[in-house]
Structures are given as C-alpha cells and as structure tokens.
Amino acid sequence: QVQLEESGGGLVQPGGSLRLSCTASGSIYRLYDMGWYRQARGKQRELVATITSGGTTNYEDSVNGRFTISRDSAKNTVYLQMNSLKPEDTAVYYCHVNCQRALVYSRRDFWGQGTQVTVSS
C-alpha cells in the first residue's frame, strides 16, 4: 500500500501564497503522473495541476500563471506553489499519484487525505 502525506494548507489573505507538499511512502516501484486536485464546498473535485515523471506540466486555466507544480523524484514528493491566491481558490486540496508498487503489479491511483486551503480577509 502507498500512503500520501500532505502538508502546507492553511488560512491566507487574498494575494498571499502557500506551498503544499505531498510525500508518498510505502511500497513504491515507480511513480508516474503526480498532481493536485481540489474540491470546494458543494462542488465536484477538479484537477488543478499535474506533472509527469518527465517533468511535463499542465494547469487548470484559472490557476495558470499563479500556481507552479514541481516534483522531487528522489524524495517521492510533489509540490504546489500557490501565489496570488484568490477567494475562489478556497477548497480542500488533494494530492494524487499514479503508482506502480512492483514490477508485477499494475499502475494504481492513490489519493491523499486532503489539506484545507482558505483564502479570506
């Protein structure tokens, strides 16, 4: 089993910044795509940003230019630097990884427990 530990959420004023991190642990043979999703109250979960094992990134339109996703493969960690935060960014942010636990196993999706990000004055 793979566990994802998230940190970095909190309360910040509009225009402020936060940096989320997510570290995968457990049985890991190879990590593929990693990313961040978010779910606002009463809304569906949506993709925020993803990064492939080769470093290719993509972003949801509303965060493009403000958020930066990165990864440290040696530490099995993915980050989300969030700048110029807006109230509409308020949500629970979930780390996601696509992971192969062993050579003989298929790839599987794993989710973190979520970290709350609140942008408010």
Side-chain angles (χ1 to χ4, degrees), residues 40-76:
R41 186 180 299 274
K43 303 295 184 180
Q44 293 185 333
R45 187 174 299 185
E46 67 175 359
L47 186 148
V48 177
T50 60
I51 183 168
T52 70
S53 59
T56 301
T57 61
N58 73 89
Y59 299 90
E60 192 271 331
D61 287 343
S62 69
V63 308
N64 196 15
R66 300 186 297 120
F67 291 9
T68 302
I69 188 170
S70 61
R71 65 191 289 168
D72 186 337
S73 296
K75 298 180 178 180
N76 292 334

